[in-house]
């Protein structure tokens, strides 16, 4: 099969769409492959909104990466004329000594970003929609908001196409195979050969990567929407994006449809998906009841029974950090996977990093701790 590109991107979801855009933006002839269509319902990036925040609750490197991503989000908006990122302001709320909250406050201080730290009395006055307990503290800042995931993916692929990228949508890649100084991308239509291939398959990493990368575990995420008793109190201009940490773990968004509010509650690890071809969409009543109690207690202005549910699949790495960089088997295969439920806000900067690797074999950002070969000492999979 003839070729007219040096680089291919396999998987055009969260990260692959951005890698395609960043490569095309640099004038690189690039092909993109997507099995299910652009901005489809089968991957992780659905459900109207994804959280954006500069504060990091864990590793310090995340705040500079989020700020770099912010610049690229704005660049994509300018390129496409689409509104993708809305900074509503927001807060991280929990008991004052919760490590995630302490880390988030430190990340804002270390990066000299404007913020406030409010005690329980101040929170009672300013955020009446939330239950505030004695001892609760919150980081409040203006660099928090929400992204539109489906529109973002469609916009990135559209921008890449406008720059000359060729997109093979509804095309299943059967294998990615290193072959000397080339990499073969095998589909039902035949084989194309490229100098380098970016593989960003999301939860489908086990099928596509095999021994080329670390084991990625597919997990099922369920998102839920609730009706406010007074929706005017949950508009984006008055109700910011929030996350509750500590003994109760939840996150939520303002109403973007003028009717409902999306809230996620974490009570246990997301269930593993054993068969990606047969995703169980059924949500057990026991899970709904468990979440209902949290909604009724901590967000009393919402009707506690969900009016809508959606199910998505995410890929989790062994250490729950992203896997970004050359495969330990072949440096011509570049992996962007295992974002473990927290990767969407970083998508454009991860796409930029993968574009760096595809063009030069390296990146100027020191992200060696995200490289796939950090798992190389693990026991080989059966």
């Amino acid at each position: 099969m003839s070729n007219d590109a040096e680089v291919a991107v396999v998987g055009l979801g969260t990260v692959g769409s951005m890698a395609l855009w960043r490569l095309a933006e640099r004038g690189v002839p690039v092909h993109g492959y997507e099995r299910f269509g652009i901005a489809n319902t089968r991957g992780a990036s659905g459900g109207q909104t994804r959280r954006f925040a500069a504060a990091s609750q864990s590793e310090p490197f995340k705040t500079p990466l989020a700020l770099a991503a912010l610049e690229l989000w704005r660049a994509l908006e300018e390129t496409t004329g689409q509104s993708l990122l809305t900074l509503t302001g927001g807060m991280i709320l929990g008991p004052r000594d919760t490590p995630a909250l302490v880390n988030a406050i430190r990340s804002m201080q270390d990066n000299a970003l404007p913020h406030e730290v409010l005690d329980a009395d101040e929170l009672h006055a300013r955020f009446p929609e939330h239950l505030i307990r004695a001892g609760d503290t919150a980081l409040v800042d203006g660099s928090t908001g929400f992204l539109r995931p489906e529109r973002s993916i469609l916009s990135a692929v559209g921008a890449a196409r406008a720059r000359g990228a060729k997109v093979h949508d509804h095309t299943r890649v059967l294998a990615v195979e290193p072959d000397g100084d080339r990499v073969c991308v095998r589909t039902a239509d035949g084989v194309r050969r490229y100098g380098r291939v970016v593989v960003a398959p999301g939860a489908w990493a086990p099928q596509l990567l095999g021994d080329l990368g670390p084991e990625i575990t597919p997990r099922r995420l369920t998102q839920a929407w609730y009706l406010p008793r007074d929706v005017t109190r949950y508009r984006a201009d008055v109700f910011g994006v929030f996350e509750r940490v500590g003994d109760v773990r939840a996150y939520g968004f303002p109403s973007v449809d003028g009717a409902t509010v999306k809230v996620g509650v974490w009570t246990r690890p997301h269930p593993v998906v054993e068969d990606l071809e047969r995703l169980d969409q059924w949500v057990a009543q026991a899970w709904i009841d468990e979440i209902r109690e949290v909604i009724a207690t901590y967000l009393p202005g919402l009707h506690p029974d969900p009016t809508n549910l959606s199910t998505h699949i995410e890929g989790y790495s062994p250490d729950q950090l992203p896997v970004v960089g050359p495969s330990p088997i072949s440096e011509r295969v570049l992996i962007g996977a295992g974002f473990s439920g927290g990767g969407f806000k970083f998508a454009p900067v991860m796409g930029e990093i993968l574009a760096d690797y595809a063009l030069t074999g390296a990146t100027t950002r020191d992200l060696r701790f995200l490289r796939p070969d950090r798992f190389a000492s693990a026991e080989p999979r059966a």
Side-chain angles (χ1 to χ4, degrees), residues 217-339:
T217 303
R219 292 185 178 274
R220 188 181 78 162
L221 165 70
T222 299
Q223 300 182 88
W225 285 258
Y226 300 85
L227 284 169
R229 294 185 170 86
D230 179 1
V231 73
T232 64
R233 297 175 64 178
Y234 295 87
R235 298 192 314 257
D237 58 339
V238 293
F239 185 80
V241 173
F242 75 89
E243 184 162 0
R244 187 179 282 268
V245 297
D247 55 328
V248 178
R249 296 175 64 181
Y251 62 90
F253 301 85
S255 179
V256 299
D257 61 4
T260 59
V261 173
K262 187 172 91 171
V263 180
V265 178
W266 195 93
T267 57
R268 65 190 71 184
H270 299 316
V272 173
V273 178
E274 301 293 347
D275 186 350
L276 289 167
E277 304 304 319
R278 293 178 174 83
L279 175 64
D280 184 5
Q281 300 281 348
W282 177 255
V283 179
Q285 186 62 41
W287 181 88
I288 295 174
D289 292 343
E290 196 173 290
I291 304 309
R292 186 184 194 280
E293 182 178 346
V294 175
I295 298 295
T297 302
Y298 293 94
L299 291 163
L302 302 181
H303 178 61
D305 294 311
T307 60
N308 188 31
L309 299 169
S310 70
T311 302
H312 307 272
I313 315 175
E314 300 174 324
Y316 279 69
S317 75
D319 60 8
Q320 297 192 21
L321 286 175
V323 178
V324 182
S327 162
I329 304 299
S330 170
E331 291 201 346
R332 292 185 174 276
V333 176
L334 309 166
I335 300 172
F339 287 85

Side-chain angles (χ1 to χ4, degrees), residues 138-154:
L139 165 69
V140 179
D141 71 273
S143 56
T144 294
F146 63 85
L147 289 152
R148 298 283 202 166
E150 299 94 340
R151 186 186 297 169
S152 297
I153 291 170
L154 192 62

Side-chain angles (χ1 to χ4, degrees), residues 67-292:
L67 296 174
L70 175 59
E71 293 185 14
L72 288 168
W73 282 119
R74 295 309 189 202
L76 182 57
E77 287 180 319
E78 184 175 352
T79 295
T80 62
Q82 296 290 323
S83 176
L84 307 176
L85 170 60
T86 302
L87 294 181
T88 61
M91 68 173 174
I92 301 173
L93 165 68
R96 65 171 62 92
D97 58 352
T98 303
L101 179 56
V102 172
N103 289 339
I105 294 170
R106 183 179 298 120
S107 74
M108 299 298 277
Q109 294 170 340
D110 290 348
N111 290 276
L113 296 173
H115 66 281
E116 298 177 87
V117 179
L118 305 184
D119 62 23
D121 290 339
E122 294 168 309
L123 289 168
H124 271 298
R126 286 179 54 177
F127 300 101
E129 292 77 22
H130 295 269
L131 172 72
I132 306 298
R133 304 170 297 180
D136 276 347
T137 300
L139 165 69
V140 179
D141 71 273
S143 56
T144 294
F146 63 85
L147 289 152
R148 298 283 202 166
E150 299 94 340
R151 186 186 297 169
S152 297
I153 291 170
L154 192 62
S155 296
V157 173
R161 276 179 159 146
R163 290 286 189 175
K166 184 174 182 179
V167 175
H168 304 272
D169 55 357
H170 300 282
T171 300
R172 181 175 184 175
V173 171
L174 303 174
V176 176
E177 302 164 338
D179 182 16
D181 62 352
R182 310 297 286 175
V183 181
C184 297
V185 173
R186 189 179 302 277
T187 71
D189 295 329
V191 177
R192 288 187 176 93
R193 295 160 60 83
Y194 301 92
R196 285 188 170 90
V197 175
V198 174
V199 185
W204 276 260
Q207 292 182 0
L208 267 179
L209 289 176
D211 289 335
L212 287 170
E215 187 168 4
I216 303 297
T217 303
R219 292 185 178 274
R220 188 181 78 162
L221 165 70
T222 299
Q223 300 182 88
W225 285 258
Y226 300 85
L227 284 169
R229 294 185 170 86
D230 179 1
V231 73
T232 64
R233 297 175 64 178
Y234 295 87
R235 298 192 314 257
D237 58 339
V238 293
F239 185 80
V241 173
F242 75 89
E243 184 162 0
R244 187 179 282 268
V245 297
D247 55 328
V248 178
R249 296 175 64 181
Y251 62 90
F253 301 85
S255 179
V256 299
D257 61 4
T260 59
V261 173
K262 187 172 91 171
V263 180
V265 178
W266 195 93
T267 57
R268 65 190 71 184
H270 299 316
V272 173
V273 178
E274 301 293 347
D275 186 350
L276 289 167
E277 304 304 319
R278 293 178 174 83
L279 175 64
D280 184 5
Q281 300 281 348
W282 177 255
V283 179
Q285 186 62 41
W287 181 88
I288 295 174
D289 292 343
E290 196 173 290
I291 304 309
R292 186 184 194 280

